[in-house]
Amino acid sequence: MRKSTGQAPQEGQGKAMLDESALRTAMDVLASRDAAIAAAVARVGYPDPRGRAPGYETLLRTIISQQVSVAAAKAVWTRLEAALGSGCAPEALLAADAETLRACGLSRQKQGYARSLAELVTSGALDLHALPEDDEAAIAELVRIKGIGRWSAEIYLLFAEGRPDIWPAGDLAVQVAVGTILGLPERPSEKHVRTLAEAWRPHRSAMAIMAWHHYNTQALA
């Protein structure tokens, strides 16, 4: 299970497939099907759209941010850009020695993950701008990168590609929010949440964004 902070990725330059209009339309459809979802929308309002830029840089930032604070990840990225140039191009990363990357704040493990991504991109083995249209096939491509598991792949497809039916069932905040929204007696398991979400196809991405929104809003209440 992925331990989420409940924060959806920060707004950026992702595709517009999940813009404000698309999110509202999807949530209206789901609310018409389920009174509990309708009540949640009435309680906390519609979620705001979020996005990330598709491509190498977003996945490298994902690797850097794993298991560290937002501030720490930002500091590492700043040092990497100072050492490798803007965007930390894969060719520049592969040319850097281990000591340089370590001085920027990358552990040996994360260096391995970053090099895996850079090697797949530079060799052409992974084309991040031509991933398979089938979601499961796209996830299978992304998890070839060391350090990118299913949750990270799902988050990338949801926020960088704006795919409409991605469901990160392993996210803790999503599980908590789904349990609260549906009035369940305890937090549902990843398996249970995945089963529940079958009723929300083909709008599971909107429901995931709604779950994060609900989780954060309730936490601040």
Side-chain angles (χ1 to χ4, degrees):
M1 176 177 63
R2 174 73 183 193
K3 292 185 178 180
S4 170
T5 62
Q7 296 292 331
Q10 294 300 304
E11 188 172 355
Q13 302 299 315
K15 295 182 180 180
M17 292 171 66
L18 287 172
D19 60 13
E20 182 176 1
S21 176
L23 276 173
R24 284 176 172 261
T25 297
M27 289 313 304
D28 285 343
V29 170
L30 295 176
S32 71
R33 297 178 184 173
D34 192 322
I37 295 176
V41 173
R43 186 164 55 247
V44 302
Y46 292 96
D48 292 326
R50 300 276 183 161
R52 288 178 173 178
Y56 160 83
E57 183 176 324
T58 286
L59 281 167
L60 181 57
R61 283 177 175 268
T62 297
I63 288 169
I64 291 168
S65 66
Q66 290 173 350
Q67 299 180 326
V68 299
S69 69
V70 172
K74 183 177 181 180
V76 171
W77 182 258
T78 298
R79 290 194 292 268
L80 278 172
E81 283 201 307
L84 307 180
S86 178
C88 303
E91 296 83 2
L93 191 147
L94 290 173
D97 59 34
E99 187 55 41
T100 297
L101 297 179
R102 187 179 302 111
C104 292
L106 281 186
S107 65
R108 179 179 297 180
Q109 184 179 54
K110 286 191 177 180
Q111 287 184 41
Y113 296 165
R115 290 188 187 279
S116 171
L117 169 63
E119 287 168 356
L120 286 168
V121 169
T122 56
S123 69
L126 176 64
D127 185 347
L128 293 172
H129 299 287
L131 290 172
E133 291 186 11
D134 178 79
D135 293 335
E136 287 299 322
I139 289 170
E141 281 289 290
L142 291 169
V143 299
R144 294 168 60 199
I145 305 166
K146 292 180 181 178
I148 297 296
R150 184 179 181 91
W151 181 88
S152 295
E154 289 169 336
I155 294 300
Y156 178 84
L157 295 175
L158 199 167
F159 290 102
E161 294 213 338
R163 298 198 182 202
D165 197 36
I166 300 296
W167 184 243
D171 189 281
L172 177 60
V174 168
Q175 294 170 10
V176 170
V178 167
T180 302
I181 290 169
L182 298 184
L184 302 179
E186 58 186 13
R187 173 174 59 82
S189 66
E190 177 177 350
K191 182 179 179 180
H192 190 189
V193 165
R194 201 172 292 282
T195 299
L196 290 169
E198 287 300 307
W200 304 329
R201 289 180 180 271
H203 305 294
R204 292 182 299 171
S205 290
M207 189 62 194
I209 296 171
M210 179 64 185
W212 280 308
H213 174 55
H214 193 280
Y215 180 92
N216 290 325
T217 302
Q218 294 295 292
L220 295 172

